[in-house]
């Protein structure tokens, strides 16, 4: 469901977590859909599927009729409170250099499988309103995101540069008016590479069909069904902010115990 304040995407991504499916329940990157994060059940509204690209992935996309749209380099900076209040609530606040702010937040959790769904908010007024709701704060006025970072106690938790090649592809036999699948192949400046397949959807009812197409392309690319790939942010935290990463694991573990009554 696209709106002025957000978009929905279906992303077929075999997991976006801190490791190969070893940390269920933590988002895979911050979307049907790129945060957050750890491998786990679907949560949010875009739905996503990330994978580890091989040396022949671009060639295979070309063989399947894919078109390279562009190559781009950008820096992402993520923010949270010292207590990780946003990540713990499955919200992921990011500023992309020269491209503004984005907040990915949990949506409907009714789609099963190795994919994630997130709602992506890009209008600053909507982002500020959602941040105030999650952080239970009022009276910050009508300022932009940068203006509320201090009052909300938000600080930088990660920043890295990504080199991306963006592809689009219409599957063989698809309707001519059908939206193409999008595939992003990313390499972060700390040496981690990850791919993501994404399909744009306009309403919730389109998600199952979008995911089916994503899974078809995944199979065509030779991605193992059970393969999971952590998001760039999670790998960054694991390597360079281990204390933050450990806190996320502890929060996730505690949440699972509460849910199961252990």
């Amino acid at each position: 469901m696209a709106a002025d304040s957000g978009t929905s995407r279906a992303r077929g991504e075999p997991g976006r977590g801190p490791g190969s499916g070893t940390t269920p329940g933590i988002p895979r990157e911050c979307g049907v859909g790129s945060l957050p994060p750890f491998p786990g059940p679907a949560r949010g509204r875009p739905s996503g599927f990330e994978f580890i690209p091989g040396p022949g992935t671009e060639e295979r996309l070309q063989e399947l009729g894919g078109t390279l749209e562009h190559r781009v380099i950008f820096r992402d900076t993520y923010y949270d409170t010292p207590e990780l209040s946003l990540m713990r609530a499955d919200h992921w606040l990011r500023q992309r250099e020269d491209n503004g702010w984005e907040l990915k937040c949990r949506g409907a959790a009714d789609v099963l499988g190795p994919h994630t769904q997130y709602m992506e908010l890009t209008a600053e007024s909507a982002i500020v309103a959602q941040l105030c709701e999650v952080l239970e704060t009022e009276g910050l006025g009508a300022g932009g995101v940068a203006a509320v970072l201090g009052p909300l106690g938000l600080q930088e938790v990660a920043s890295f540069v990504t080199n991306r090649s963006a592809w689009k592809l219409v599957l063989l036999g698809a309707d001519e008016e059908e939206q193409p699948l999008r595939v992003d192949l990313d390499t972060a400046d700390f040496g981690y590479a990850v791919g993501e397949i994404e399909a744009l959807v306009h309403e919730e009812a389109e998600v199952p069909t979008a995911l089916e197409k994503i899974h078809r392309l995944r199979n065509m690319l030779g991605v193992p069904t059970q393969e999971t790939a952590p998001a760039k942010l999670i790998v960054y935290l694991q390597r360079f902010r281990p204390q933050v990463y450990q806190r996320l694991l502890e929060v996730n573990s505690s949440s699972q115990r509460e849910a199961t009554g252990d």
Side-chain angles (χ1 to χ4, degrees):
M1 243 186 278
D4 290 342
S5 59
T7 30
S8 294
R9 295 192 182 88
R11 297 178 179 173
E13 327 164 16
R16 312 185 188 199
S20 303
T22 57
T23 313
I26 299 181
R28 305 163 200 165
E29 193 173 35
C30 149
V32 188
S34 181
L35 212 211
F38 289 86
R43 345 209 242 155
R45 213 188 262 151
S47 165
F49 193 102
E50 292 185 341
F51 63 97
I52 302 298
T57 299
E58 288 197 348
E59 290 77 5
R60 181 56 178 156
L61 284 170
Q62 289 179 313
E63 292 173 359
L64 294 171
T67 302
L68 176 64
E69 287 196 294
H70 60 262
R71 297 186 187 274
V72 63
I73 298 175
F74 54 85
R75 175 177 290 277
D76 285 332
T77 302
Y78 292 88
Y79 293 82
D80 208 333
T81 67
E83 300 77 26
L84 306 181
S85 302
L86 293 181
M87 294 184 188
R88 291 166 63 180
D90 210 355
H91 283 60
W92 309 81
L93 178 63
R94 178 187 75 196
Q95 182 182 38
R96 178 159 293 174
E97 191 174 34
D98 299 325
N99 199 36
W101 293 88
E102 179 182 88
L103 178 65
K104 294 196 179 187
C105 48
R106 178 174 50 195
D110 58 351
V111 184
L112 301 178
H115 52 77
T116 55
Q117 283 191 300
Y118 283 88
M119 171 64 78
E120 299 174 346
L121 303 179
T122 55
E124 291 202 33
S125 58
I127 292 174
V128 171
Q130 184 68 17
L131 290 174
C132 289
E133 179 178 337
V134 174
L135 299 176
E136 300 180 344
T137 303
E138 298 179 354
L140 291 184
V145 177
V148 303
L149 292 180
L152 290 176
L154 296 168
Q155 60 190 30
E156 179 181 316
V157 294
S159 184
F160 50 83
V161 173
T162 295
N163 191 321
R164 167 175 293 174
S165 65
W167 297 73
K168 65 179 180 180
L169 172 69
V170 176
L171 295 176
L172 186 65
D175 190 292
E176 290 184 0
E177 298 180 356
E178 195 169 295
Q179 289 282 346
L181 293 173
R182 297 190 175 275
V183 181
D184 291 334
L185 302 179
D186 291 352
T187 301
D189 60 359
F190 52 91
Y192 178 64
V194 64
E196 178 179 45
I197 305 172
E198 177 181 83
L200 182 67
V201 297
H202 300 287
E203 55 187 46
E204 199 72 26
E206 297 174 358
V207 171
T209 299
L211 290 175
E212 190 276 331
K213 291 190 295 183
I214 287 169
H215 294 165
R216 280 179 58 198
L217 179 54
R218 178 200 67 194
N219 292 334
M220 292 176 180
L221 292 175
V223 178
T225 303
Q226 299 303 318
E227 178 181 275
T228 58
K232 299 188 298 290
L233 172 60
I234 298 306
V235 175
Y236 178 94
L237 295 177
Q238 186 178 30
R239 294 183 184 180
F240 305 109
R241 301 293 301 276
Q243 292 181 329
V244 172
Y245 178 82
Q246 187 60 37
R247 291 184 71 178
L248 283 177
L249 293 183
E250 291 170 355
V251 168
N252 180 64
S253 176
S254 175
S255 298
Q256 286 186 317
R257 286 197 299 271
E258 292 176 4
T260 59
D262 293 341

